[in-house]
Every structure is written in structure tokens, then in C-alpha cells.
């Protein structure tokens, strides 16, 4: 799972590099980012993320207690009902796309509205692939099959890359090609691929609108709070895009590019570990092994802290060098680098909190508790939206928005941790704090050395841009090894993760 999502993030960075090289940062790329807000809003309103999260524990409960036929009946009913609902919502969003565009892009130039509407309508059908594909992937996760779902985001990224590089020259003009690439990538990766995998590993499906089965009712009961709540992690990018227009053209693109960089460690480490541990947590709860649930949950949280803290420090210490190395080529200028790097530094502050959130949410869903995290998420989302409104009204600088997002993430995770500990009979929060303190201390030492090195040598030419990339790569490798040896000297048990990975590499 880590490997597949690592490749997804690598391709995500390649995608961002290609887009910035091909189009730079301007009002057209702002329109492209904004065109995803209507599909994302649909995904949010129908609780797309909650669908699979609510479905997996219920499917696992039936599947792992010798009731496989009932498990597949639940899948059939949920898939049928959600297919009808999603297609209906897609049709409504397609018809009212111009009106929705005027709302979500209210702070941007109205001249962009027709282009945003056009691209939104192209991408909207992809939501069906995401919804139903996520449900199919849920059955694979429950059966400990992780490879196929891990390929979906890679195919999606490849679709957008090809849409940016090939389609503008042959079929459709400019940024519109990326919208078609996104649609094709989503359909192939999130729908066709898991469907083929399910047929290979076994599936039972028949069209049914059975809403009386207790398993079906349980899935929708778990989903219901999310439908009416506001998840900060879900609406965070949308809120950022909405307020970005207050700072002029190119800021939608700058925020999105910096956010993609910030999301890289979340996908590689946090989300992969969260997805991998979720079936195990659900199985422990189904079998009433709550001691194993608590141990597995805390072990995963500590591992996330160990892996993501140094990445957060790197992005905070040398954001300008990272952005310059990755994106400053083609139509992406030094001014774009400065603007994006400033945003990245503020985003980096919240990486640790954002990384813990997916694991904690799976912890709640595994014990079939969805109301509490939704209430907490709604409160923090209202706090973040209010903070953004005050920031823009007060005329604060553009760095304030991502900083407010990072602080809101810490507020969210702190509340989730305390509440979950009370719900499951206690968690080792002190041990989690010790892990964070040690990881932060080791990372800070490495970060100071890295910043000093890049400050002293970063402007020296070693073969132009590629020399700068090589220097940054070598410096970051040194950072990683130094962090590992410092944390091992601090007797952090999470070092065993790295040691196991090294042994696997040596054996291969």
C-alpha cells in the first residue's frame, strides 16, 4: 500500500510539474482548479468518503463471521441505491453548473465562468466512478487485497498528464484537455480496474433496492451523520479555493500546488497506513478484541508521527528550494516559486495533524461511531471558514489562509484523540506525545543543518537546474539517514519499521 500510494504521489508531482511547465500559474490554471469544486462539492454532499468507510466495517462483520452471502447482499443493495442517487445528483449538477459556478467562483473574474462551467461538466461523470469504484474497493480492502485499489490514483494521474501533454495539440484547446484526461483516468482506474479485480477475486451482485436488511440500514446509518456534517479534511481545499480569489489571479493555482506538495506525505504514509489498518481494526472490533484494537491503533499513530514529522520539517525549512527544483521551468517563473513556497511553509506546519486524522477517522468508523467525529469536524470547519473570512476582510497576507488551516487541523486532531480515548476505554496519549517530542527534536536538528547547507550551497551553480535538483536530493538523503540514526539513539521503537524495510531491500 505504501509503495502504490508512493507511486501515486510521485505521479501526482509529475502531473503538477507538467501542468506548471505547460501552462504556468495564471487565470486559466485558476479556472481549471475551480472547475473541480462542483464535482468535489457533489462528492462531499453525498458523503463519498464516508460511503466506503461506513461500508467496510459492515461488510467485514458479515464476511468474517461466515455470512458471506449476506455480505454480498449488503454490497448489492448499497451499490444499487447509491448508483441511482449519484447519477441523479450528477444530472442536477450538470444542469445547474452555471449557477453553481457563480457561487463557488464568486471572488474570481466572471469572465472565467464559462470555462469553469465547461470543464466542470466534463469532470462531473467521473464522480460515478469514484463513488461506486470506492465501494468495490471496499470489498477488496475487507478481503486484504490492497494492490488493485492502490493502482487507481496512478491511472488517474496518468490520464491528466496525457490530457495536459497530448490533447491540447490534437483534440481540445488548452487546459480543457486535462479535464478530459481526468474523466478517462477516473473511469479506467476507479471503475473498470476494480470491477475486473472483483470478478477475478469473486463477487456476487444483483440489482436490488432492499432497504430493510439490517446491514444495509447500518451502512446508511453510519453514513448519515457525515452527510449532514462538515469534514474539515474534505472541505478544506474547497474553502481555500473559494477565498483564494481575494488575493488576485494565480493564487488558486499557488494554493493548490503548495497543497499538493503538502499532501504527498499524507498519501505515502498516513493514508496508506490508515487504509491498511482499517480492515484489521474492523476485524478486532467484530471479534471483540478491543485490547488488540487499542494496541494496533496507537502503534499506527506513532508510526505516522515518526514518518511524517521529518517531512514536515523539510518542507518548512527549505520550501523555496523544493518548489524551485520541482516546478520552476517552462512557464513557471521565479515569482511563482516565491509565492508557492511561502504557502508551502505554512501548510507544512499542519502536516503532522493532517497525517493523524485519516487514522483516527478509521478508528472511529471501525467501532461504528460516526456521529462524534462528524460533530467535531463540523465545529472545526466552521472555525476555519470563519477564520478565513476574518483574515480576508482584515486584509491579512495570503500566508494567513494556509496557516489558519494548519492550526485548525491541530484543533481537530486534538479533539478527536481525547474523545476517542474516552470512547474506547483509554489510549496511550502520553506515549504518543513522547514519540512526537523525540521525532520533532531529531527532525529539528536535521532541519537546521539542511537549511544551513542549502543556504550556503543552494545558489552555487552545479550544472544549472539539474545540479540544484541533485544537490537537494543528496542533502535530503543525508537528512533521512541522520534522522534515522538520531531516533535510533533515542531508542524509538518506530525505527524497526525502517530496519525491516532495509532488510527486505537487502534480501531482494
Amino acid at each position: 500500500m505504501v509503495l502504490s500510494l508512493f507511486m501515486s504521489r510521485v505521479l501526482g508531482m509529475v502531473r503538477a510539474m507538467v501542468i506548471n511547465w505547460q501552462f504556468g500559474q495564471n487565470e486559466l490554471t485558476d479556472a481549471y482548479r475551480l472547475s473541480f469544486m462542483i464535482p468535489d462539492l457533489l462528492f462531499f454532499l453525498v458523503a463519498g468518503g464516508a460511503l466506503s468507510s461506513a461500508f467496510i466495517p459492515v461488510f467485514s462483520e458479515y464476511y468474517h463471521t461466515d455470512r458471506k452471502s449476506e455480505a454480498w447482499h449488503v454490497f448489492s443493495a448499497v451499490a444499487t441505491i447509491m448508483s441511482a442517487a449519484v447519477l441523479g445528483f450528477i444530472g442536477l449538477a450538470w444542469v445547474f453548473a452555471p449557477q453553481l459556478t457563480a457561487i463557488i467562483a464568486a471572488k474570481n473574474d466572471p469572465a472565467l465562468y464559462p470555462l469553469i462551467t465547461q470543464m466542470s461538466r466534463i469532470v462531473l461523470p467521473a464522480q460515478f466512478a469514484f463513488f461506486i469504484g470506492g465501494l468495490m474497493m471496499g470489498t477488496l480492502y475487507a478481503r486484504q487485497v490492497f494492490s488493485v485499489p492502490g493502482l487507481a490514483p496512478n491511472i488517474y494521474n496518468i490520464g491528466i498528464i496525457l490530457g495536459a501533454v497530448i490533447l491540447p495539440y490534437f483534440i481540445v484547446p488548452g487546459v480543457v484537455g486535462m479535464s478530459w484526461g481526468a474523466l478517462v483516468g477516473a473511469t479506467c482506474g476507479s471503475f473498470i480496474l476494480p470491477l475486473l479485480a472483483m470478478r477475478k477475486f469473486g463477487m456476487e451482485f444483483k440489482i436490488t433496492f432492499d432497504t430493510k436488511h439490517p446491514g444495509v440500514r447500518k451502512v446508511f446509518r453510519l453514513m448519515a451523520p457525515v452527510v449532514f456534517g462538515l469534514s474539515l479534511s474534505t472541505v478544506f481545499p474547497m474553502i481555500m479555493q473559494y477565498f483564494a480569489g481575494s488575493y488576485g489571479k494565480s493564487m488558486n493555482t499557488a494554493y493548490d500546488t503548495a497543497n499538493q506538495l503538502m499532501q504527498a506525505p499524507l498519501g505515502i504514509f498516513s493514508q496508506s497506513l490508515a487504509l491498511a489498518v482499517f480492515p484489521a481494526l474492523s476485524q478486532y472490533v467484530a471479534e471483540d478484541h478491543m485490547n488488540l484494537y487499542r494496541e494496533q491503533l496507537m502503534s499506527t499513530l506513532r508510526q505516522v508521527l515518526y514518518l511524517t514529522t521529518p517531512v514536515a520539517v523539510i518542507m518548512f525549512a527549505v520550501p523555496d528550494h523544493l518548489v524551485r527544483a520541482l516546478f520552476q521551468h517552462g512557464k513557471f517563473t521565479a515569482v511563482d516559486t516565491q509565492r508557492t513556497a511561502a504557502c508551502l511553509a505554512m501548510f507544512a506546519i499542519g502536516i503532522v495533524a493532517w497525517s493523524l486524522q485519516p487514522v483516527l477517522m478509521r478508528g472511529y468508523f471501525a467501532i461504528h461511531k460516526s456521529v462524534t467525529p462528524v460533530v467535531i469536524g463540523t465545529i472545526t470547519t466552521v472555525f476555519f471558514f470563519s477564520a478565513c473570512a476574518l483574515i480576508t476582510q482584515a486584509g491579512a497576507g495570503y500566508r494567513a489562509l494556509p496557516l489558519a488551516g494548519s492550526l485548525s487541523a491541530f484543533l481537530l486532531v486534538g479533539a478527536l484523540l481525547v474523545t476517542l480515548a474516552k470512547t474506547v476505554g483509554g489510549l496511550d496519549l502520553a506515549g504518543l506525545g513522547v514519540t512526537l517530542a523525540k521525532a520533532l527534536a531529531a527532525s529539528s536538528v536535521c532541519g537546521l543543518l539542511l537549511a544551513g547547507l542549502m543556504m550556503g550551497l543552494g545558489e552555487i551553480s552545479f550544472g544549472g537546474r539539474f545540479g540544484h535538483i541533485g544537490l537537494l536530493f543528496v542533502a535530503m538523503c543525508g537528512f533521512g539517514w541522520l534522522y534515522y540514526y538520531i531516533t535510533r539513539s533515542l531508542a524509538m521503537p518506530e525505527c524497526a519499521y525502517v530496519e525491516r524495510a532495509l532488510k527486505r531491500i537487502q534480501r531482494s
Side-chain angles (χ1 to χ4, degrees), residues 406-426:
S406 294
L407 297 178
S408 299
F410 275 102
L411 177 65
L412 169 66
V413 166
L416 288 175
L417 269 172
V418 172
T419 307
L420 183 59
K422 293 179 180 179
T423 304
V424 300

Side-chain angles (χ1 to χ4, degrees), residues 304-371:
V304 168
L305 284 179
Y306 179 80
L307 294 171
T308 58
T309 301
V311 180
V313 171
I314 288 176
M315 290 188 176
F316 183 80
V318 290
D320 50 338
H321 291 282
L322 286 169
V323 175
R324 174 185 165 191
L326 290 171
F327 303 123
Q328 192 173 313
H329 56 283
K331 296 182 180 180
F332 194 95
T333 67
V335 175
D336 297 328
T337 293
Q338 182 181 14
R339 180 170 49 229
T340 305
C343 296
L344 177 60
M346 297 299 99
F347 278 127
I349 294 173
I351 284 178
V352 169
W354 286 121
S355 299
L356 293 176
Q357 188 264 349
V359 179
L360 288 171
M361 291 302 293
R362 266 64 176 196
Y364 277 99
F365 278 111
I367 58 174
H368 303 185
K369 298 288 185 181
S370 59
V371 176

Side-chain angles (χ1 to χ4, degrees), residues 8-355:
S8 169
R9 294 302 170 175
V10 170
L11 283 173
M13 287 298 100
V14 173
R15 180 190 71 189
M17 292 168 67
V18 169
I19 293 173
N20 285 300
W21 166 77
Q22 182 83 318
F23 304 107
Q25 287 188 353
N26 51 56
E27 62 275 8
L28 295 180
T29 55
D30 285 350
Y32 171 71
R33 265 71 178 193
L34 287 166
S35 70
F36 282 86
M37 285 190 65
I38 294 177
D40 288 345
L41 183 63
L42 171 63
F43 192 85
F44 164 70
L45 289 175
V46 194
L51 176 59
S52 59
S53 296
F55 170 75
I56 291 176
V58 178
F59 185 86
S60 296
E61 182 178 354
Y62 285 102
Y63 195 86
H64 292 293
T65 53
D66 298 324
R67 292 179 290 173
K68 293 184 179 181
S69 60
E70 286 193 79
W72 287 114
H73 180 77
V74 171
F75 167 77
S76 297
V78 174
T80 303
I81 295 168
M82 289 306 300
S83 292
V86 170
L87 289 174
F89 274 104
I90 289 175
L92 288 173
W94 200 94
V95 171
F96 293 102
Q99 292 80 5
L100 292 172
T101 296
I103 296 173
I104 58 99
K107 296 182 180 296
N108 294 80
D109 186 355
L112 294 176
Y113 291 1
L115 179 60
I116 296 171
T117 299
Q118 177 190 3
M119 291 189 288
S120 295
R121 283 174 165 169
I122 294 171
V123 177
L124 268 169
Q127 298 307 306
F128 179 80
F130 289 135
F131 276 108
I132 307 307
L135 196 63
M136 291 190 290
M137 291 178 194
T139 70
L140 297 174
Y141 286 137
R143 291 178 285 171
Q144 306 294 316
V145 178
F146 298 102
S147 56
V148 173
L151 291 174
N154 293 293
I155 297 174
Y156 179 68
N157 283 324
I158 291 172
I160 297 177
I161 291 170
L162 294 177
V165 174
I166 297 176
L167 294 185
Y169 295 103
F170 296 99
I171 303 175
V172 293
V175 294
V176 179
M178 293 188 291
S179 300
W180 285 108
L183 175 60
V184 173
T187 302
C188 294
S190 296
F191 184 75
I192 296 177
L193 183 64
L195 179 61
L196 294 175
M198 286 186 65
R199 295 183 64 178
K200 176 182 177 181
F201 292 106
M203 66 173 288
E204 299 175 18
F205 173 77
K206 62 178 180 179
I207 297 177
T208 174
F209 288 88
D210 180 12
T211 58
K212 296 182 179 180
H213 190 281
V216 177
R217 290 186 173 184
K218 192 170 188 178
V219 171
F220 289 116
R221 188 168 63 250
L222 291 172
M223 276 184 59
V226 185
V227 174
F228 298 103
L230 297 172
S231 169
L232 180 61
S233 61
T234 302
V235 301
F236 170 75
M238 290 189 281
I239 294 175
M240 291 291 297
Q241 288 295 305
Y242 176 78
F243 284 102
S246 302
Y247 294 102
K249 71 176 184 178
S250 301
M251 283 311 304
N252 290 91
T253 307
Y255 281 137
D256 185 68
T257 302
N259 186 48
Q260 286 184 52
L261 272 173
M262 184 268 287
Q263 292 287 334
L266 273 66
I268 296 171
F269 302 120
S270 174
Q271 292 177 8
S272 61
L273 288 170
L275 290 171
V277 78
F278 189 29
L281 294 178
S282 300
Q283 185 172 344
Y284 291 148
V285 172
E287 297 171 350
D288 198 25
H289 294 315
M290 291 305 295
N291 58 325
L292 296 177
Y293 166 91
R294 288 188 290 268
E295 291 175 6
Q296 183 67 71
L297 177 64
M298 295 310 298
S299 173
T300 305
L301 290 173
R302 289 193 298 270
Q303 198 67 63
V304 168
L305 284 179
Y306 179 80
L307 294 171
T308 58
T309 301
V311 180
V313 171
I314 288 176
M315 290 188 176
F316 183 80
V318 290
D320 50 338
H321 291 282
L322 286 169
V323 175
R324 174 185 165 191
L326 290 171
F327 303 123
Q328 192 173 313
H329 56 283
K331 296 182 180 180
F332 194 95
T333 67
V335 175
D336 297 328
T337 293
Q338 182 181 14
R339 180 170 49 229
T340 305
C343 296
L344 177 60
M346 297 299 99
F347 278 127
I349 294 173
I351 284 178
V352 169
W354 286 121
S355 299

